[in-house]
Amino acid sequence: MKALVLSGGAGTRLRPITHTSAKQLVPVANKPVLFYGLEAIADAGITEVGVIVGDTADEIREAVGDGSRFGIKVTYLQQDAPLGLAHAVLIAREFLGDDDFVMYLGDNFIVGGITGLVDAFRADRPDAQILLTRVPNPTSFGVAELDGDGRVVALEEKPKQPKSDLALVGVYLFTPAVHEAVRSIEPSWRGELEITHAIQWLIDQSRDVRSTTISGYWKDTGNVTDMLEVNRSVLETVEPCLDGSVDEASEIIGRVRIEAGAQVTGSRIVGPAIIGAGTVVSDAYIGPFTSVSEGCRIEDSEIEYSIVLRNSSLTGVRRVEASLIGRDVEITPAPRNPSAHRLVLGDHSKVQISS
């Protein structure tokens, strides 16, 4: 069995972060989201992995390498434009051959991994197996309609009037039967080859399509709110560790991981939280559910329920929360005179100012 991991999307909902970084590499608890998926695939006993890449191919290649750090062998497959999930299957035909495979969206996060799902699929080998979960906003997802016996009867991509609240989770399992399906469908109104249409084709051809509804934790980390929520969930499991230095004037409460080379002086850190390698925390407060990446400086500031990417600094800033701060960012107080906010913001930025 092989795996096909999709890492080619543009990440428009995470702009401006994704103007300069692949959305799959935005870190959760100081580890790229994509890495959690690759680890789940390896844990399920799958070693041959095709990674679909697009405009951010160089960054993905540099981060993942040949896959050996995860115990897998990676083959990179270039997708010239984001033309849909079914299009990704189409261009991966040679790599996939006649093997069964799991398709995993690289910006999705599933607590507990996929080992049980893969084992069940290997045992029964339906033509397609999909994961479903109940969501409050089904218009944002592919949605499944089940009959009275729980069988999948219809799928619809981002419907305006959903027939259920069962959204497709970004993990699919297929036999080679799906290759005929992706060749048989036409692009949707979005100009994409939709995987929901390919699965619907299998249903219409009376092929064996099964679903599993999960109640565990799943998130599509495509926006800031979900990124912060996934970060919170992962930090709930963090093991306390003190590889950096903490002076006597500092207070560490709860599950806090301070990585090698980090320095904490005169500060209070309340876990769960992670302080990255080489980061300096001085006269600051870092609250629960905060991940600070490597090489940062948090000085005379307060931050909580946030993600700070590498080499960024907060100096003299009172109360930052529920924020995603990119790489090489500097945050400082505005001068008192004149009393005004000075902003340099990229496209698609969002700012909330307390006046």
Side-chain angles (χ1 to χ4, degrees):
M1 192 169 183
K2 293 176 180 173
L4 187 65
V5 177
L6 277 63
S7 298
T12 55
R13 291 179 294 155
L14 271 176
R15 288 175 178 169
I17 298 292
T18 49
H19 280 310
T20 54
S21 177
K23 65 176 180 177
Q24 298 84 6
L25 297 181
V26 176
V28 167
N30 287 7
K31 182 165 67 176
V33 172
L34 176 61
F35 288 11
Y36 291 97
L38 295 177
E39 289 169 356
I41 287 166
D43 288 343
I46 300 171
T47 57
E48 291 189 67
V49 180
V51 177
I52 299 286
V53 292
D55 292 342
T56 58
D58 291 344
E59 193 179 2
I60 298 290
R61 287 173 185 267
E62 182 180 356
V64 176
D66 63 3
S68 56
R69 63 184 292 186
F70 306 100
I72 59 177
K73 178 183 178 182
V74 169
T75 299
Y76 292 98
L77 305 166
Q78 184 73 39
Q79 187 179 34
D80 293 332
L83 297 176
L85 306 189
H87 180 261
V89 176
L90 203 61
I91 65 174
R93 181 69 177 92
E94 183 177 349
F95 165 76
L96 294 169
D98 291 325
D99 293 312
D100 297 346
F101 67 98
V102 56
M103 184 167 74
Y104 197 113
L105 306 194
D107 60 350
N108 275 227
F109 185 90
I110 300 175
V111 169
I114 60 171
T115 300
L117 180 72
V118 169
D119 289 345
F121 180 83
R122 281 173 164 149
D124 296 338
R125 293 194 72 238
D127 294 300
Q129 177 86 33
I130 59 176
L131 254 65
L132 305 174
T133 193
R134 298 192 183 279
V135 296
N137 55 333
T139 55
S140 301
F141 301 93
V143 173
E145 181 183 358
L146 307 183
D147 65 14
D149 296 323
R151 290 189 294 263
V152 185
V153 294
L155 300 174
E156 192 173 4
E157 188 65 32
K158 296 180 173 63
K160 293 181 179 179
Q161 295 182 320
K163 295 180 180 178
S164 82
D165 61 353
L166 291 170
L168 276 77
V169 174
V171 177
Y172 310 79
L173 297 104
F174 297 110
T175 67
V178 74
H179 295 301
E180 184 180 0
V182 299
R183 290 194 305 268
S184 301
I185 61 174
E186 298 292 333
S188 67
W189 62 270
R190 301 193 302 167
E192 298 185 6
L193 288 176
E194 311 283 3
I195 198 65
T196 47
H197 291 180
I199 298 169
Q200 184 66 53
W201 186 91
L202 291 171
I203 294 170
D204 294 342
Q205 299 298 313
S206 300
R207 306 302 291 261
D208 187 5
V209 176
R210 303 183 189 179
S211 69
T212 299
T213 301
I214 63 171
S215 57
Y217 190 83
W218 164 79
K219 280 289 182 182
D220 169 3
T221 61
N223 60 55
V224 173
T225 300
D226 286 341
M227 284 293 304
L228 293 173
E229 178 60 18
V230 171
N231 190 63
R232 181 201 63 76
S233 177
V234 176
L235 288 178
E236 290 276 20
T237 66
V238 73
E239 292 296 328
C241 177
L242 180 55
D243 288 336
S245 64
V246 178
D247 72 353
E248 293 183 357
S250 296
E251 185 179 15
I252 307 297
I253 301 172
R255 297 189 306 280
V256 177
R257 191 169 83 207
I258 299 176
E259 298 181 341
Q263 300 176 40
V264 179
T265 59
S267 298
R268 187 170 188 254
I269 302 177
V270 180
I274 294 179
I275 310 301
T279 284
V280 174
V281 180
S282 176
D283 299 318
Y285 167 76
I286 295 179
F289 309 119
T290 303
S291 296
V292 182
S293 295
E294 68 273 14
C296 295
R297 175 174 286 274
I298 313 294
E299 185 175 355
D300 189 26
S301 299
E302 299 179 8
I303 185 168
E304 185 171 312
Y305 191 64
S306 295
I307 298 173
V308 183
L309 304 193
R310 58 181 166 83
N311 299 328
S312 290
S313 65
L314 283 78
T315 305
V317 179
R318 288 301 169 191
R319 208 57 186 178
V320 173
E321 61 183 35
S323 298
L324 174 56
I325 298 169
R327 299 175 294 184
D328 300 294
V329 171
E330 294 183 10
I331 302 177
T332 60
R336 292 186 177 182
N337 292 307
S339 181
H341 301 288
R342 182 176 183 271
L343 307 174
V344 180
L345 302 173
D347 297 345
H348 309 285
S349 295
K350 292 183 180 180
V351 175
Q352 292 181 323
I353 295 174
S354 297
S355 56

